[in-house]
Amino acid sequence: MNKKYMAEPYRIKMVESIRQTTKEERITLLKNAGYNPFSLRSDDVYIDLLTDSGTGAMSQEQWGAMMIGDEAYAGSRSFYRLESVVKNITGYKYFMPVHQGRGAEQVFLPQLVTHKGMYYLSNIHFDTTRAHVELAGARALDCVTECCYDLKNYHPFKGNFDLELLEKTILEKGKENICGIIMTITNNSAGGQPVSMENMREVHKIAKKYGIMNIIDGARYAENSFFIKEREKGYQDKDIIDIARETYSYADALLMSAKKDGLVNMGGIIAIRDDKCLFDKCRTRAVAYEGFPTYGGLNGRDMDALAVGLMEALDENYLRHRIDQVRYLGDRLMEAGIPIQYPVGGHAVFVDCKALAPQIPYDQFPSLAVTNALYIEAGVRAVEIGSLLLGRDPDTNKNIEAKLELMRLTIPRRVYTYNHLDVVADAMIHVFEHRHELKGYAFDYESPILRHFTSTFKPI
Ligand SMILES: *Cc1c(COP(=O)(O)O)cnc(C)c1O
């Protein structure tokens, strides 16, 4: 076991205390939160695995860079520093900062919707991407490989496009009705599963063949590059940055939430290969929604922190440790017989709650039951990804049954140690050993939209 996982490639210079509560306190805290972990205060959470978005720790170099941020409204030095890093990694000609990933989406995605009845095609659209596709009047279709829904069997690249399905969909809908192809790396909604370079190359060929724009949703492109190095033939001796560069060579634009592989708490990126007309249109829209094009809703100091963070996230030692942490937690749970998505992806471990608590029907939310039991056991906050998140059918108003009932244990970047992960694993094993006692939940209050955030529940 000693040799299997890599120790933290950093030492700790500044600490943030976290508070352990008693089980009795947590029972009351959860009840007061309406049995919805989103309503818990961060102070009442011991280990917070809600998300890896904007929750990472910055390095001394990033904090140092913040001191030289240039807060000029126009033409900030920080902008030019960030621009040069983004161009260096992507090879693209045009760059614009935005406040976060969805800022990039709201500025960029409507530009390619030119008439009624159009579609974006993705391996899987992330939630906010889908929302912005639909707000722009288009529809979002997913063309992911079928093996993505097989939780048990090993496949190195479960995030891939199904190439046949992609081409079939283009022919079926008509190439003039496709706004663009969105390559999401890693595939967030598929559990942070990677996409192979071969798959990206083939998707690019298909895009070129039909004259369709190819866009990378690159929130976790560095993690994806690491998986390629580890798993894809011919990439073992390549530098991560060169793998990233090849990745961007197979697309025409990048939209990125910098809250993940940008290693910052807030920020986003639009980069465009060479389409000046498209870039000008994006700039016009960005001024109205995000800010002047040389700050895009960010402080100068944020842009400097991001310029440094982007390069740090491509460091192989950092990435190996990051992916190792996720693998460590996954391995500990699997060794105890807990059903999880295998292999684990880049940013989280997904527990299969349908298999773990089959006595709870989907509309009593098995993953919420497991998530709440884990919080009560050890003050660990995870998140439900299942039928509660999915919502109701707008026509019949019935609860939709999710294909998978998952609980996500999301690992923030550079924040927790292996000892923290042991606390999580031990608590999860306890929940697993008492799984037959788990009971479902009914709504106390059901919020009409995005119900998982604000609804309250009562135990059945
Ligand atoms: C997080 C994320 C987004 C949205 O980014 P925000 O910064 O949260 O607005 C879009 N796509 C993917 C793949 C993401 O992971």
Side-chain angles (χ1 to χ4, degrees):
M1 198 130 127
N2 284 343
K3 283 270 170 287
K4 224 166 127 195
Y5 309 99
M6 185 185 153
E8 287 77 5
Y10 46 79
R11 53 186 175 187
I12 295 164
K13 177 172 271 189
M14 191 192 284
V15 295
E16 177 186 356
S17 296
I18 47 179
R19 190 170 73 98
Q20 182 59 292
T21 45
T22 65
K23 202 172 207 172
E24 286 64 44
E25 285 173 317
R26 288 193 293 274
I27 288 170
T28 309
L29 288 163
L30 191 62
K31 183 163 181 257
N32 293 344
Y35 296 98
N36 185 344
F38 276 102
S39 298
L40 289 168
R41 287 175 179 235
S42 142
D43 258 350
D44 299 329
V45 174
Y46 181 49
I47 298 174
D48 203 348
L49 306 187
L50 189 65
T51 175
D52 66 325
S53 178
T55 53
M58 293 209 296
S59 67
Q60 60 179 4
E61 283 75 16
Q62 287 178 287
W63 283 107
M66 288 186 79
M67 299 303 288
I68 58 164
D70 174 4
E71 306 303 336
Y73 190 94
S76 153
R77 288 188 297 276
S78 308
F79 167 82
Y80 290 109
R81 284 192 280 266
L82 176 57
E83 181 185 56
S84 106
V85 171
V86 172
K87 287 182 174 179
N88 177 19
I89 297 169
T90 59
Y92 297 170
K93 215 163 161 186
Y94 301 110
F95 157 73
M96 192 186 331
V98 285
H99 85 281
Q100 64 181 95
R102 67 201 71 180
E105 290 161 357
Q106 70 163 344
V107 166
F108 185 96
L109 296 176
Q111 309 294 350
L112 304 182
V113 183
T114 50
H115 56 265
K116 267 209 163 99
M118 292 188 79
Y119 300 85
Y120 273 101
L121 309 180
S122 178
N123 36 357
I124 305 184
H125 291 82
F126 179 67
D127 314 15
T128 61
T129 320
R130 178 179 300 277
H132 279 292
V133 165
E134 288 169 2
L135 282 168
R139 298 192 43 193
L141 298 179
D142 297 336
C143 301
V144 76
T145 167
E146 194 49 40
C147 75
C148 141
Y149 297 105
D150 170 7
L151 296 180
K152 284 207 186 101
N153 294 301
Y154 182 86
H155 186 286
F157 295 104
K158 286 187 180 179
N160 279 356
F161 264 90
D162 179 332
L163 298 169
E164 258 174 55
L165 178 60
L166 173 64
E167 194 155 8
K168 194 176 127 228
T169 310
I170 294 170
L171 292 172
E172 215 171 85
K173 304 295 178 194
K175 62 178 184 196
E176 66 287 354
N177 296 321
I178 309 297
C179 311
I181 298 173
I182 302 175
M183 171 63 80
T184 310
I185 52 172
T186 56
N187 194 339
N188 186 352
S189 311
Q193 294 291 325
V195 175
S196 71
M197 193 67 87
E198 186 196 0
N199 195 253
M200 293 193 272
R201 202 178 294 130
E202 292 304 316
V203 167
H204 184 58
K205 270 189 209 155
I206 292 173
K208 281 281 146 302
K209 178 168 162 193
Y210 295 102
I212 297 168
M213 187 150 192
N214 201 5
I215 302 139
I216 287 181
D217 179 349
R220 298 179 184 79
Y221 79 94
E223 290 167 11
N224 199 76
S225 301
F226 181 82
F227 279 117
I228 288 173
K229 175 160 177 141
E230 202 179 52
R231 296 180 183 172
E232 192 162 351
K233 202 166 159 259
Y235 288 90
Q236 280 65 48
D237 296 326
K238 292 224 155 93
D239 286 339
I240 298 290
I241 192 165
D242 292 325
I243 297 174
R245 284 183 182 130
E246 185 180 344
T247 296
Y248 290 119
S249 79
Y250 300 131
D252 310 297
L254 160 68
L255 309 181
M256 178 172 175
S257 166
K259 301 174 70 168
K260 287 87 171 206
D261 280 352
L263 289 175
V264 289
N265 305 111
M266 191 57 68
I269 288 169
I270 297 176
I272 297 173
R273 173 181 297 289
D274 55 12
D275 188 336
K276 176 152 194 325
C277 176
L278 176 62
F279 179 66
D280 285 341
K281 282 198 265 181
C282 285
R283 271 206 303 199
T284 307
R285 197 171 155 88
V287 171
Y289 287 97
E290 295 288 305
F292 188 78
T294 61
Y295 75 85
L298 296 179
N299 298 304
R301 54 183 173 270
D302 292 342
M303 292 191 278
D304 269 307
L306 176 53
V308 176
L310 282 170
M311 293 311 292
E312 287 181 359
L314 291 167
D315 175 53
E316 197 176 323
N317 281 326
Y318 153 74
L319 282 168
R320 171 159 300 116
H321 169 254
R322 158 107 184 117
I323 309 279
D324 256 11
Q325 276 206 327
V326 181
R327 208 156 48 85
Y328 175 75
L329 180 58
D331 286 353
R332 279 223 51 203
L333 300 190
M334 274 202 307
E335 281 158 18
I338 299 173
I340 64 165
Q341 181 195 40
Y342 175 78
V344 293
H347 66 287
V349 175
F350 287 73
V351 177
D352 179 355
C353 297
K354 199 187 273 188
L356 195 147
Q359 72 273 26
I360 304 176
Y362 78 94
D363 56 357
Q364 294 176 14
F365 313 126
S367 304
L368 182 67
V370 178
T371 303
N372 283 347
L374 181 63
Y375 174 73
I376 286 174
E377 181 56 28
V380 174
R381 174 158 66 176
V383 64
E384 192 263 10
I385 311 263
S387 295
L388 171 59
L389 179 70
L390 204 56
R392 289 180 186 272
D393 186 310
D395 298 326
T396 64
N397 203 38
K398 283 221 168 79
N399 278 306
I400 312 171
E401 181 170 3
K403 230 180 203 170
L404 304 170
E405 301 287 353
L406 301 171
M407 177 183 73
R408 186 180 77 186
L409 297 159
T410 339
I411 316 294
R413 293 170 180 77
R414 306 192 290 203
V415 170
Y416 293 116
T417 64
Y418 288 98
N419 283 325
H420 289 118
L421 299 180
D422 278 335
V423 171
V424 176
D426 292 343
M428 193 53 223
I429 290 166
H430 177 93
V431 169
F432 180 63
E433 283 165 354
H434 293 79
R435 62 192 179 279
H436 306 296
E437 299 156 27
L438 290 169
K439 297 212 166 65
Y441 285 88
F443 283 107
D444 195 25
Y445 158 74
E446 183 175 355
S447 140
I449 49 163
L450 295 173
R451 64 181 187 177
H452 57 290
F453 286 133
T454 48
S455 292
T456 56
F457 302 88
K458 43 182 192 274
I460 289 171

